[in-house]
Amino acid sequence: MERYDCVVIGGGMVGAASALSLAQLGLKVAVVEKVAPKYFSVEQAFDLRVSALSLSTEHLLRQLNAWQQIQQWRSCCYRRLGVWEQEIAYTEFNAKDINQDHLGHIVENRLIQLSLWQQINEHPKVTLYCSNVLASFEQFPEAVELNLTSVETDENVSQIKIKTKLLIAADGANSQVRQLAGIGVTGWDYKQAAMLINVETQLPQQDITWQQFYETGPVAMLPLSGSSESANGYASLVWYHKKDEIKRLSALSNSALTEAVHKSFPKRLGEIKVIDKGAFVLTRRHANQYQQQRILLLGDAAHTINPMAGQGVNLGFKDVKALQTVIATAIGNGESWHAPEVLGQYENIRRKDNLLMMSTMDALYCTFSHPSSLVRSIRNAGLFVANKVPFVKNKALAYACGVSI
Ligand SMILES: Cc1cc2nc3c(=O)[nH]c(=O)nc-3n(C[C@H](O)[C@H](O)[C@H](O)COP(=O)(O)OP(=O)(O)OC[C@H]3O[C@@H](n4cnc5c(N)ncnc54)[C@H](O)[C@@H]3O)c2cc1C
């Protein structure tokens, strides 16, 4: 039976980053992933799933040597962030105000994963079990034994047994590891759903991302990288609304949806043409424990958050960084890096931070979807005042970007 220091279930963005970050410490790591990401070529249309990556995520991806490849493929840098409900309360955040060149980048999730996989494939300490899923595992005081099954065809199903000191669940919101370990979650489904819509814009590539709030939910524009052959740009629009309305919008043809976007989005979007669309339910889940003996939960396996402020995967990457720091410190101090008390420090650090961000998003969600005209006046006054108080505004911005000022 092959033995590893760490086995990561789920080779998505967070799982792949955690595997690399632990291999950087000299640990022998395996990653188990169900589906390989499709290769990239420049003529491919933009994927629907994109993420607004914060500055702290960029730092981590640089440290993992994955950032350069992402930039060579495609990404869109944004320097400004506009937020408003009523025009009078329009608030704009600028990278210059927190002494940064930019606030973040919009990148397709697949490209983030692929660039990390490139590094994994070249790293002598990481083994990838791709097209494999976890079938079962058993915990012993000193190790966890796992049974993997291949997901090829029924005739070719093969079984693999491996053993590890630490099992990392990075298998997403419906984490099988979390369920098999009997770790419960608290959470709920939001009343709103979201639609992601990729569009071609008449405006050229922009350096701003913006969000306008409505009681039915916000609408947002995330710029995508433009094309060198056309003066037009591309963008990912996010349309939050009641579930029934999102269902109705999803059923429209691209040209009918183009009309609907023109009617409902702010004029500053300009003329657009819908290229692709997809709908997503929004859930909040928080695992009751991030650690159970030799099992740790990271990323969406531990927490899913309202994507309103684009923080979900950024929190997952912060989990990765915290785990790497805790284990590096233990190794540096000559301690047993996989002792439960060492691993418990990871939960202590991350639970508070994740909870704070989840609660902030929920407060925003409740405040901006409240129908009362009094609450509307208060929230617009709040944005108006925030715009006039640079200290408050810049602190909030630095927190969202994951930098300190
Ligand atoms: C509409 C929407 C918009 C969003 N926008 C943003 C944004 O702008 N910025 C941001 O930071 N976040 C955003 N998020 C959140 C972000 O997409 C997630 O936080 C992120 O995808 C979580 O990454 P992960 O690696 O933890 O999990 P996942 O991306 O779910 O990856 C899990 C991986 O595990 C694999 N897997 C699952 N089960 C098994 C198994 N049993 N065996 C082997 N492999 C398995 C899966 O194939 C997958 O590759 C958004 C979310 C939504 C819904």
Side-chain angles (χ1 to χ4, degrees):
M1 190 186 319
E2 195 68 45
R3 287 160 192 263
Y4 295 94
D5 291 316
C6 310
V7 171
V8 182
I9 306 295
M13 296 181 282
V14 172
S18 67
L20 269 177
S21 72
L22 296 172
Q24 279 187 340
L25 302 180
L27 302 180
K28 185 181 172 192
V29 185
V31 180
V32 180
E33 170 57 51
K34 209 164 24 181
V35 208
K38 201 172 127 201
Y39 72 93
F40 172 74
S41 71
V42 72
E43 67 281 358
Q44 285 168 354
F46 289 98
D47 290 349
L48 267 182
R49 296 304 304 266
V50 300
S51 294
L53 299 183
S54 68
L55 294 171
S56 67
T57 292
E58 180 183 329
H59 292 156
L60 176 72
L61 293 172
R62 275 185 198 281
Q63 182 206 312
L64 299 176
N65 300 319
W67 187 249
Q68 202 182 2
Q69 182 63 76
I70 291 173
Q71 295 228 287
Q72 276 170 15
W73 283 335
R74 58 190 180 201
S75 65
C76 183
C77 173
Y78 61 93
R79 296 188 162 79
R80 295 177 296 136
L81 166 67
V83 189
W84 77 104
E85 181 177 21
Q86 293 168 342
E87 281 290 342
I88 187 170
Y90 177 83
T91 304
E92 194 170 291
F93 299 87
N94 196 310
K96 280 189 287 189
D97 299 336
I98 54 167
N99 305 317
Q100 299 289 335
D101 169 70
H102 54 273
L103 295 177
H105 284 78
I106 313 295
V107 189
E108 290 152 87
N109 291 1
R110 179 174 56 107
L111 302 195
I112 303 167
Q113 186 190 12
L114 268 177
S115 65
L116 290 163
W117 275 46
Q118 241 182 28
Q119 295 303 315
I120 282 181
N121 284 326
E122 287 170 16
H123 204 296
K125 289 275 186 184
V126 192
T127 306
L128 190 56
Y129 291 89
C130 191
S131 305
N132 281 277
V133 288
L134 177 70
S136 62
F137 66 82
E138 202 174 345
Q139 288 204 66
F140 298 97
E142 288 303 315
V144 186
E145 283 185 17
L146 298 97
N147 293 307
L148 311 180
T149 320
S150 66
V151 285
E152 324 241 302
T153 58
D154 283 350
E155 303 89 66
N156 287 332
V157 170
S158 60
Q159 313 282 341
I160 305 167
K161 277 184 186 294
I162 54 176
K163 199 168 180 172
T164 183
K165 292 177 187 143
L166 174 64
L167 174 58
I168 294 181
D171 49 348
N174 298 316
S175 170
Q176 189 198 2
V177 178
R178 189 184 68 215
Q179 289 170 34
L180 289 174
I183 299 175
V185 291
T186 50
W188 56 81
D189 289 349
Y190 292 97
K191 287 185 186 150
Q192 291 169 4
M195 205 169 164
L196 299 182
I197 311 169
N198 282 356
V199 298
E200 188 172 351
T201 61
Q202 205 173 49
L203 292 172
Q205 180 179 332
Q206 302 191 48
D207 75 342
I208 186 167
T209 176
W210 49 250
Q211 179 148 229
Q212 181 175 19
F213 288 93
Y214 294 94
E215 273 155 37
T216 49
V219 297
M221 190 282 299
L222 287 71
L224 297 174
S225 56
S227 150
S228 51
E229 284 146 32
S230 149
N232 294 357
Y234 293 90
S236 165
L237 306 182
V238 196
W239 194 342
Y240 298 82
H241 213 296
K242 294 193 184 89
K243 287 178 184 163
D244 284 352
E245 179 62 2
I246 292 295
K247 199 168 159 194
R248 185 189 75 78
L249 291 169
S250 311
L252 296 178
S253 65
N254 284 358
S255 59
L257 186 60
T258 300
E259 291 282 303
V261 168
H262 283 143
K263 274 193 202 132
S264 297
F265 273 61
K267 292 284 164 276
R268 73 184 68 211
L269 177 64
E271 291 292 314
I272 58 102
K273 193 170 109 196
V274 170
I275 304 168
D276 199 5
K277 58 188 185 286
F280 298 85
V281 290
L282 304 179
T283 56
R284 175 192 160 125
R285 299 270 182 279
H286 202 189
N288 298 338
Q289 294 162 262
Y290 290 6
Q291 182 209 4
Q292 191 200 69
Q293 296 166 41
R294 291 178 173 275
I295 299 175
L296 286 187
L297 310 186
L298 267 73
D300 273 23
H303 43 77
T304 57
I305 179 174
N306 191 319
M308 193 186 276
Q311 289 294 334
V313 81
N314 291 302
L315 293 182
F317 285 126
K318 283 171 96 178
D319 295 348
V320 170
K321 186 68 204 167
L323 181 63
Q324 192 196 37
T325 306
V326 163
I327 292 185
T329 307
I331 293 173
N333 292 339
E335 294 165 7
S336 166
W337 62 266
H338 46 84
E341 41 298 355
V342 171
L343 301 178
Q345 292 169 26
Y346 156 77
E347 170 150 11
N348 287 344
I349 299 168
R350 291 309 303 146
R351 176 171 285 281
K352 278 184 241 139
D353 189 50
N354 288 330
L355 197 57
L356 176 62
M357 187 59 87
M358 292 166 102
S359 310
T360 308
M361 286 312 109
D362 286 339
L364 275 177
Y365 172 81
C366 292
T367 309
F368 279 96
S369 50
H370 202 288
S372 139
S373 52
L374 176 66
V375 176
R376 187 187 310 131
S377 307
I378 293 171
R379 66 194 177 219
N380 279 285
L383 272 181
F384 184 78
V385 170
N387 203 17
K388 304 281 173 214
V389 185
F391 176 75
V392 175
K393 193 176 152 192
N394 297 344
K395 274 276 174 205
L397 181 59
Y399 172 60
C401 293
V403 293
S404 43
I405 51 168

